[in-house]
Amino acid sequence: MRGVRSIRERHGLPELNELGPELAHVRRWEVALSLAVLFACLGIYGLCASLGWWPAAVLGVVLLSFFTYGSISHDLVHGNLGLPRRLNDTLLCLTELLAVRSGHAYQAAHLHHHARFPAEDDIEGAASGMGFWRTIGEGIILQPRLWLWAIRHRRPRRGWIWFEGVACVAIVLGSLAALPLTVLPAVYVGLVIAGSWIIPLTTSYVPHDVHADAPLRQTRLFRGRLFSLIAIEHLYHLDHHLYPQVPHHHWAKLARRLDPYFEKAGVEPVRVGKRKGAVRRADEDR
């Protein structure tokens, strides 16, 4: 979403210090807990897979994929956790390698997405203008494409990106080499790679509307208990675009404080079960 400050000013949205400066800060124990959750998910897979409890093992991998790209890794991408830069870089590298992805390629593409959406050169947000099935196909090739794009465009972080790319290949080859002894690493690697295939669908196609009539509506506003439950309080895409310095720990609180401003600006939230007629009347009023 280009020109975030001007968009906020045009629609009467406040600066973050007016909403509450505490929204940009997270306590150390919250950071530690978030990181611990990732390794707990990895442990769940290892324990349950070794015991043959495959549904629980797969669930552990699903949660790990969710809490990396959409949660703790995402905050590390934005540097929202108040950590020293070297530590932030190291944790971004490690958390995304858990899902066999390059954290710094993710950072390069995601920050570019924030600066350029919905421009044609926004590689991360490109799926927002694709059809459903093309978006599904995009997911299969997105991570290699992001890595190659980042190598070409992110010179200051290129060393990290090269290292992470080589590490991802090593993880895959190592899991295959271990097959004569155990299938567990290969199954894990296959699951996390397949889990990354839905990223364009969940982070670009669903939350964006490139055909909307104004920049404030090109990112959808999701509200309602069902969406909060399904996304574990993480489906606050418009709120995040407008205030990217707020870590995921405070997205729900940020959303509650923004709701009166969105209502005044005429932004219609997407809710499960909303009558089509009501949506249509809201569009006509605009």
Side-chain angles (χ1 to χ4, degrees):
M1 185 183 291
R2 290 178 283 183
V4 169
R5 182 181 292 275
S6 64
I7 291 172
R8 291 200 304 254
E9 292 175 350
R10 191 183 316 150
H11 294 279
L13 298 173
E15 293 299 313
L16 185 60
N17 59 2
E18 299 175 61
L19 287 170
E22 76 280 2
L23 293 174
H25 301 286
V26 62
R27 289 165 287 189
R28 287 288 182 260
W29 70 264
E30 292 176 304
V31 177
L33 179 61
S34 297
L35 292 168
V37 166
L38 300 184
F39 291 95
C41 291
L42 182 63
I44 289 171
Y45 170 81
L47 176 63
C48 295
S50 64
L51 294 173
W53 301 344
W54 285 106
V58 171
L59 178 61
V61 176
V62 170
L63 291 174
L64 184 142
S65 296
F66 177 86
F67 287 124
T68 48
Y69 204 90
S71 187
I72 189 69
S73 297
H74 180 263
D75 285 330
L76 292 167
V77 160
H78 284 280
N80 284 343
L81 301 179
L83 301 174
R85 181 168 181 173
R86 186 173 295 276
L87 177 59
N88 192 92
D89 281 335
T90 302
L91 290 174
L92 175 59
C93 172
L94 292 176
T95 55
E96 281 298 282
L97 283 180
L98 290 176
V100 197
R101 295 187 296 254
S102 167
H104 286 81
Y106 171 24
Q107 183 181 56
H110 187 68
L111 296 183
H112 187 75
H113 167 66
H114 272 265
R116 297 289 295 163
F117 178 78
E120 291 184 2
D121 65 350
D122 176 12
I123 185 171
E124 185 183 276
S128 61
M130 299 177 183
F132 177 81
W133 290 111
R134 186 180 171 191
T135 298
I136 298 299
E138 176 74 4
I140 298 174
I141 61 173
L142 179 63
Q143 293 306 313
R145 286 187 64 221
L146 284 185
W147 187 84
L148 291 171
W149 180 91
I151 283 292
R152 293 196 302 269
H153 292 86
R154 195 68 168 179
R155 181 171 297 177
R157 320 301 284 164
R158 195 171 289 169
W160 281 104
I161 297 166
W162 269 111
F163 170 77
E164 290 160 356
V166 171
C168 287
V169 173
I171 291 170
V172 172
L173 293 178
S175 71
L176 295 176
L179 281 174
L181 300 175
T182 174
V183 300
L184 299 190
V187 171
Y188 171 83
V189 168
L191 287 172
V192 292
I193 290 176
S196 296
W197 294 349
I198 68 167
I199 287 175
L201 178 68
T202 58
T203 67
S204 181
Y205 180 84
V206 170
H208 294 113
D209 180 7
V210 294
H211 304 297
D213 57 1
L216 192 62
R217 297 186 179 91
Q218 287 176 336
T219 303
R220 294 186 174 95
L221 179 67
F222 291 94
R223 290 294 187 266
R225 293 182 179 178
L226 184 57
F227 281 135
S228 296
L229 180 63
I230 292 173
I232 319 177
E233 292 284 18
H234 277 61
L235 197 55
Y236 297 102
H237 213 82
L238 176 58
D239 315 73
H240 169 62
H241 264 283
L242 293 167
Y243 301 90
Q245 64 271 53
V246 176
H248 81 273
H249 308 77
H250 301 315
W251 283 347
K253 186 184 295 184
L254 171 67
R256 289 192 294 270
R257 296 184 186 183
L258 283 175
D259 278 342
Y261 296 96
F262 286 141
E263 183 176 0
K264 186 176 180 180
V267 181
E268 184 76 12
V270 178
R271 297 179 185 272
V272 173
K274 189 174 182 63
R275 293 175 299 171
K276 293 183 179 179
V279 174
R280 189 180 302 114
R281 285 194 297 274
D283 290 338
E284 290 170 354
D285 290 342
R286 294 174 189 166

